[in-house]
Amino acid sequence: MTKKQKTMLVRILAATVILLVLQSLSAETFNELDQFLFLSAGRWIRLFCYLIVYAIIGYDIIQKALKGIKNGQVFDENFLMAVATVGALSLAVYENGEYLEAIAVMLFYQIGEWFQRYAVGKSRRNISDLMDIRPDYANVERNNKLEQVDPDEVGIGSVIVVQPGEKVPIDGVIVEGTSSLNTSALTGESLPREANTGDEIISGCINMTGVLRIQTTKEFGESTVSKILDLVENASSRKSKSEDFISKFARIYTPAVCYAALALALLPPIVRMFFMDLPAVWGVWIYRALTFLVISCPCALVISIPLSFFAGIGGASKAGVLVKGSNYLEILSQTKYVVFDKTGTLTQGVFEVNGIHHNEMEKEKLIEYAALAESASSHPISKSLQRAYGKQIDRSRVTDIQEISGNGVIAKVDGVEVAAGNDKLMKHIHVKPINCHQVGTIIHLAINGKYAGHIVISDIVKPHLKEAIAALKRAGIEKTVMLTGDAKKVAEQVAESLEIDQVYSELLPADKVSKVEELLKMKGAKDKLAFVGDGINDAPVLSRADIGIAMGAMGSDAAIEAADVVLMDDDPMKIATAIKISRKCLKIVYQNISVAIGVKLICLILGAVGIANMWLAIFADVGVMILAVLNAIRALFVKKLEL
């Protein structure tokens, strides 16, 4: 609870106690003062006591209303409450009636406002706790001692030390040490991740076990933690259509009800006097108009709708899903088409040897020749061959390396000529390869001009991906599509194994944009299309789709910049989780809009015809607001999807 909230709570309690004391004293108690004082002193003392209570509980509302009038922004909830309560007090003075209703309206309004501020504060604290990744310092070693410095002062290439229990302050590469990392604040995943020398590490993780020495690769302002915090802090600035509607609605609605209340106070008495020859009963109609004003206060709408989206963004953060604004949350809830990039999104982007077919040579020898021949290349295929070999590469054994672009490599290994590459390379050296029926990238090998066998290399599909696609379909996604630059045979096998509805293969980056544009034209007007990419080379497509989702790109600058939604780990189930969160949030928003408008319309009619009094007005305003706020907070809590 903030200092301001504590002060407001003291004011509420003080006003409540004094009001209860005054109510325990009957009007006759004050009238008895007339026997000792002159005129109607008891009545005025009673009024003065109630005005003290009113001042304690409502002085800031009066100040805000006067400030709004001074700045030309007259019609807001402060103006409505000020006019209604001051008018009700004046009417009570004129008729020598009860002051309780007028002061109770202000008291309950302030209780509702305090509750709303507390709820918003709780939502902010929940997000702050979930995203508690901002580092307070970085450890730099100087003169054999660790000094704590501001992370902003640490330059690129500096070596920092992160001890057990400390947050990693800046992105970098581990140069010494091994440890387990807690990434739950970033990914929502409670399981620790192992980190070893040579691994990249991003800021925001918590070092759990060993001491790590990290060489920084970014400045603090460009590191993952800074970008994520900036993203979350600015999310509320991007408003949804529902929020824009409520803002425009309030600007029209508030003046309209003020003029309607004025008409209710003046027109019926005038009609009664001049056209019906009946008493005007001004007090009755002014009271109805004041009740009308209290009922009409749009607090439930103006407060609960933004709070619902804010809570939805907080709930998504807890699940490791960063949403850049409530407008994207709204679009995500309307998504019916999900388009996936393949490499790095559906697959891990890590190629591995999963098949070795040989003639007379042993498997181990075939892999050894292939790995050594490809040892000078940095291509992912070459790296996968070297990993499969599993031993230290002795480059001195390799000579006369010829890399034939688009075909493969010819080199001498221990004086033996080794050719490793595709069908084109075999044709180039006049060797007939044997066809492979296994799907993947095929590396043919020829030793001294004689065919020796082939190695199958393929990308690994991410775990639980089939379940994730099924979860999307259960969530109401009508069509799933895969785009890839891979060969048709490879692409179709992956799509079939994952039960993806449609696949487009052998695409260049520009072709992916064209395909997304075609799909955008095919879908329904109200349906939205989401593109899921790795955020590194898919920026054009992420920007072109209705909503771009960067998947499996934790720490990627391109993901954070290009995507509208960032999934902070490789878990494919997070896509369905993000859609579930958005739909729950929008459901809450529509519930609050329907209940708030419905209750107010009914109470406004009852107030206009004299059935509703100030107490019902308090429920229509404060009661509905509290119910809407409680409903909005539900968006913070999202059940984890089961596989």
Side-chain angles (χ1 to χ4, degrees):
M1 193 184 301
T2 64
K3 185 178 179 181
K4 193 172 182 179
Q5 288 171 346
K6 289 178 181 177
T7 303
M8 189 67 239
L9 186 59
V10 169
R11 286 173 56 196
I12 289 170
L13 293 173
T16 303
V17 170
I18 298 172
L19 193 62
L20 290 173
V21 171
L22 289 174
Q23 283 300 114
S24 67
L25 301 174
S26 62
E28 287 73 19
T29 304
F30 286 96
N31 292 335
E32 289 174 3
L33 293 173
D34 293 345
Q35 299 176 9
F36 305 100
L37 303 172
F38 58 91
L39 300 176
S40 300
R43 175 189 175 188
W44 296 110
I45 291 173
R46 178 168 173 261
L47 173 61
F48 180 73
C49 291
Y50 276 99
L51 286 176
I52 290 174
V53 182
Y54 183 82
I56 291 171
I57 197 63
Y59 75 88
D60 54 335
I61 300 298
I62 302 297
Q63 283 180 344
K64 290 174 184 176
L66 293 173
K67 188 176 180 180
I69 294 169
K70 183 180 177 181
N71 295 332
Q73 298 175 342
V74 178
F75 299 108
D76 61 10
E77 60 268 22
N78 297 307
F79 176 78
L80 294 181
M81 294 308 300
V83 171
T85 53
V86 170
L89 277 172
S90 302
L91 196 62
V93 171
Y94 176 76
E95 296 181 345
N96 195 22
E98 286 294 327
Y99 308 121
L100 176 62
E101 277 190 345
I103 296 172
V105 167
M106 185 62 80
L107 176 61
F108 282 106
Y109 175 77
Q110 290 285 42
I111 291 172
E113 285 288 295
W114 181 87
F115 185 84
Q116 175 262 326
R117 291 191 193 101
Y118 181 78
V120 171
K122 183 174 177 59
S123 297
R124 290 187 184 277
R125 284 194 301 277
N126 283 344
I127 290 178
S128 298
D129 292 342
L130 296 169
M131 302 303 295
D132 185 21
I133 54 178
R134 188 188 299 278
D136 300 316
Y137 59 87
N139 293 320
V140 178
E141 196 168 15
R142 292 172 182 166
N143 300 322
N144 296 322
K145 292 183 179 180
L146 289 182
E147 290 187 17
Q148 293 184 356
V149 300
D150 191 313
D152 279 318
E153 298 176 6
V154 179
I156 297 174
S158 302
V159 176
I160 59 174
V161 178
V162 182
Q163 300 183 94
E166 292 183 334
K167 299 185 189 99
V168 177
I170 305 170
D171 295 5
V173 176
I174 300 173
V175 294
E176 184 181 322
T178 59
S179 181
S180 294
L181 301 175
N182 181 348
T183 63
S184 59
L186 294 171
T187 66
E189 178 56 60
S190 58
L191 291 175
R193 297 189 177 191
E194 298 303 315
N196 302 297
T197 301
D199 291 349
E200 292 185 1
I201 188 169
I202 63 170
S203 49
C205 302
I206 298 175
N207 182 21
M208 296 173 64
T209 53
V211 176
L212 297 176
R213 294 171 65 85
I214 300 167
Q215 186 172 38
T216 61
T217 55
K218 295 179 183 177
E219 293 180 346
F220 175 69
E222 293 299 315
S223 64
T224 302
V225 66
S226 292
K227 288 180 177 289
I228 291 172
L229 289 168
D230 181 65
L231 199 161
V232 174
E233 287 164 3
N234 293 313
S236 59
S237 64
R238 297 180 176 92
K239 293 190 175 182
S240 66
K241 289 182 180 179
S242 300
E243 287 178 287
D244 285 336
F245 163 74
I246 293 303
S247 298
K248 292 174 183 176
F249 175 80
R251 286 198 293 269
I252 298 169
Y253 168 82
T254 308
V257 296
C258 287
Y259 292 127
L262 184 63
L264 186 63
L266 298 177
L267 293 181
I270 291 172
V271 170
R272 286 174 65 90
M273 278 195 305
F274 295 104
F275 297 98
M276 301 175 67
D277 197 26
L278 294 171
V281 289
W282 288 99
V284 171
W285 291 101
I286 290 173
Y287 179 82
R288 289 186 186 181
L290 295 173
T291 303
F292 188 91
L293 278 180
V294 174
I295 294 170
S296 66
C297 192
C299 297
L301 285 173
V302 174
I303 291 168
S304 67
I305 306 310
L307 180 60
S308 300
F309 282 110
F310 190 76
I313 291 171
S317 300
K318 182 178 181 180
V321 180
L322 295 184
V323 184
K324 284 189 176 181
S326 52
N327 54 332
Y328 302 123
L329 209 59
E330 189 167 42
I331 294 170
L332 196 59
S333 71
Q334 300 164 359
T335 299
K336 295 294 183 182
Y337 289 66
V338 177
V339 181
F340 295 92
D341 175 54
K342 176 180 169 284
T343 305
T345 303
L346 297 177
T347 60
Q348 295 181 9
V350 178
F351 292 87
E352 286 192 358
V353 172
N354 63 10
I356 301 173
H357 304 161
H358 56 99
N359 290 342
E360 298 176 358
M361 185 174 289
E362 293 180 359
K363 288 184 180 182
E364 292 76 11
K365 197 64 178 176
L366 196 70
I367 279 286
E368 182 179 358
Y369 275 136
L372 287 166
E374 293 271 6
S375 61
S377 175
S378 59
H379 193 278
I381 298 294
S382 304
K383 296 293 183 185
S384 65
L385 289 169
Q386 293 170 38
R387 283 195 301 272
Y389 175 48
K391 299 178 182 178
Q392 186 71 31
I393 297 291
D394 184 357
R395 296 286 294 275
S396 65
R397 296 171 60 189
V398 186
T399 58
D400 300 337
I401 298 173
Q402 302 173 53
E403 187 165 349
I404 303 171
S405 181
N407 290 350
V409 173
I410 299 174
K412 285 189 176 180
V413 178
D414 298 331
V416 176
E417 185 180 83
V418 178
N422 55 23
D423 293 350
K424 294 178 183 177
L425 181 66
M426 295 297 105
K427 186 177 180 181
H428 177 73
I429 62 172
H430 307 293
V431 172
K432 185 178 180 180
I434 297 174
N435 291 330
C436 180
H437 299 291
Q438 196 169 340
V439 175
T441 300
I442 311 300
I443 305 297
H444 296 283
L445 272 88
I447 308 298
N448 285 331
K450 184 180 178 182
Y451 190 73
H454 53 257
I455 300 169
V456 183
I457 297 173
S458 58
D459 201 353
I460 304 169
V461 173
K462 289 181 178 178
H464 308 308
L465 196 49
K466 187 174 181 179
E467 293 90 341
I469 301 296
L472 283 174
K473 292 180 178 178
R474 288 197 302 271
I477 298 301
E478 295 176 1
K479 192 172 188 179
T480 53
V481 181
M482 185 179 83
L483 307 182
T484 179
D486 284 353
K488 184 177 180 181
K489 189 177 179 182
V490 176
E492 287 180 346
Q493 187 197 45
V494 172
E496 185 179 353
S497 66
L498 297 177
E499 298 183 1
I500 290 175
D501 300 322
Q502 194 167 1
V503 59
Y504 297 96
S505 57
E506 300 178 2
L507 299 176
L508 297 172
D511 297 331
K512 292 181 181 180
V513 177
S514 301
K515 285 297 177 186
V516 166
E517 288 179 343
E518 286 179 21
L519 292 167
L520 286 169
K521 292 175 184 176
M522 290 166 55
K523 67 180 180 61
K526 293 183 179 180
D527 297 336
K528 300 299 180 184
L529 181 146
F531 178 81
V532 187
D534 59 15
I536 296 169
N537 54 8
D538 295 317
V541 202
L542 285 166
S543 302
R544 184 63 190 88
D546 291 321
I547 187 161
I549 304 173
M551 179 184 175
M554 187 169 66
S556 165
D557 291 345
I560 293 175
E561 293 298 329
D564 307 312
V565 177
V566 181
L567 309 182
M568 292 308 294
D569 64 3
D570 280 334
D571 187 358
M573 292 297 292
K574 291 289 174 68
I575 306 169
T577 300
I579 292 173
K580 179 183 176 184
I581 290 167
S582 67
R583 290 183 178 167
K584 179 179 179 180
C585 181
L586 265 292
K587 185 178 179 181
I588 289 170
V589 167
Y590 296 143
Q591 285 172 353
N592 284 344
I593 290 174
S594 302
V595 171
I597 292 178
V599 171
K600 282 193 179 292
L601 285 176
I602 293 169
C603 291
L604 283 172
I605 294 168
L606 294 176
V609 298
I611 297 175
N613 58 16
M614 281 284 183
W615 295 107
L616 185 60
I618 291 169
F619 167 75
D621 178 35
V622 180
V624 172
M625 181 179 73
I626 291 175
L627 290 175
V629 168
L630 284 171
N631 194 34
I633 290 176
R634 289 196 302 117
L636 268 173
F637 309 102
V638 180
K639 292 181 181 178
K640 190 173 181 180
L641 285 175
E642 295 183 358
L643 294 178

